[in-house]
Amino acid sequence: MASPHARRFRSRIGVGAAGGFYPAPRRYDLFLCGSCPRSQRIAITLDLLGLRDSVATTLLTSPAATPEGYAALRRAYETTGYHYDGPLTAPALRDRWSGRIVSNHTPDILRDLSGPLAGEAGDGVARLRPSHLIADIEALRTLIDRDVTSAARPSARQAALRVLDRRLARRSFALGEELTAADVDLWVALVHLEDRAELLEAAPRLDAYVRRLGEHPAFRRAV
């Protein structure tokens, strides 16, 4: 549901004294599109962090099937941007107190869920972005978004899959022995590859990784 012509709203939660958006239980909600890889990343992250009770979601399918959801999304965009007449894009994080869109930039939403908002889930939540791995998570996300897509050059995609397959020979997850945000990014990218079965024939460890994570409730629900 993303559009290259969409206006970007990129406020952050808990970032900057003048932002006005601070963490609070049930203050924020999300508009997600079920078929969208970006929305699936966010849905999995919500489950892994135990935030389903704190951050509500509205799942959008089509304007005809979910008219109330689209009407609410339109109100949020019009409240945020004066006379807004651009596309209504999801994912979008909304501040329910003001009715405004905080952000429709997926990487920022994911960072805020795993950072300021993660504290709303209480103790014991999965640490998806440990400080010592943030640079590695961002580097892997760049590689995935560039090369692990159906739109990537076949040679670049095959090279990236070989590298990722070799990494899994030495570890259980993308960056070690603990599940992180990098696994959310990688798994969603892999399941959305066209001709995935054929591509992963040459990457058996990646194929097993996709199947294993697909059995986890948070990943299974996203599909």
Side-chain angles (χ1 to χ4, degrees):
M1 192 176 168
S3 167
H5 306 294
R7 179 176 170 187
R8 286 292 187 196
F9 297 103
R10 293 191 60 178
S11 294
R12 299 291 303 279
I13 296 175
V15 177
F21 297 110
Y22 58 87
R26 298 174 183 82
R27 173 172 177 174
Y28 302 97
D29 62 0
L30 283 154
F31 294 92
L32 302 177
C33 179
S35 61
C36 165
R38 295 182 180 88
S39 291
Q40 287 182 339
R41 287 179 176 181
I42 290 172
I44 293 169
T45 299
L46 282 173
D47 276 342
L48 290 174
L49 292 172
L51 286 172
R52 285 289 185 178
D53 290 336
S54 180
V55 183
T57 60
T58 297
L59 185 63
L60 305 169
T61 54
S62 69
T66 51
E68 293 182 359
Y70 273 90
L73 183 62
R74 175 168 293 283
R75 287 194 299 271
Y77 271 96
E78 290 176 346
T79 299
T80 310
Y82 184 65
H83 289 320
Y84 183 85
D85 61 357
L88 307 178
T89 65
L93 177 66
R94 177 177 64 172
D95 172 25
R96 299 169 77 178
W97 293 2
S98 66
R100 295 169 54 204
I101 298 291
V102 177
S103 178
N104 58 5
H105 183 64
T106 299
D108 285 349
I109 294 172
L110 289 167
R111 292 182 188 107
D112 286 347
L113 290 176
S114 300
L117 289 176
E120 300 303 323
D123 296 333
V125 299
R127 295 181 66 238
L128 295 184
R129 290 176 59 85
S131 57
H132 67 285
L133 289 178
I134 287 178
D136 293 331
I137 290 169
E138 297 297 340
L140 187 57
R141 179 174 292 166
T142 298
L143 172 68
I144 291 168
D145 289 344
R146 185 186 66 218
D147 293 339
V148 188
T149 72
S150 297
R153 288 183 298 108
S155 59
R157 184 171 56 245
Q158 290 165 2
L161 292 176
R162 284 195 299 269
V163 168
L164 293 165
D165 191 68
R166 286 197 298 269
R167 290 167 69 98
L168 288 173
R170 306 187 301 275
R171 61 195 74 184
S172 299
F173 297 99
L175 296 178
E177 295 306 313
E178 299 292 334
L179 190 150
T180 69
D183 295 291
V184 179
D185 294 336
L186 177 56
W187 187 84
V188 170
L190 291 172
V191 299
H192 278 273
L193 284 175
E194 295 177 6
D195 302 321
R196 183 185 81 208
E198 180 180 345
L199 289 169
L200 295 188
E201 281 184 0
R205 285 177 287 262
L206 277 179
D207 188 42
Y209 167 87
V210 168
R211 296 175 188 275
R212 174 164 53 89
L213 283 189
E215 296 174 355
H216 189 293
F219 292 80
R220 186 169 63 243
R221 278 193 292 268
V223 176

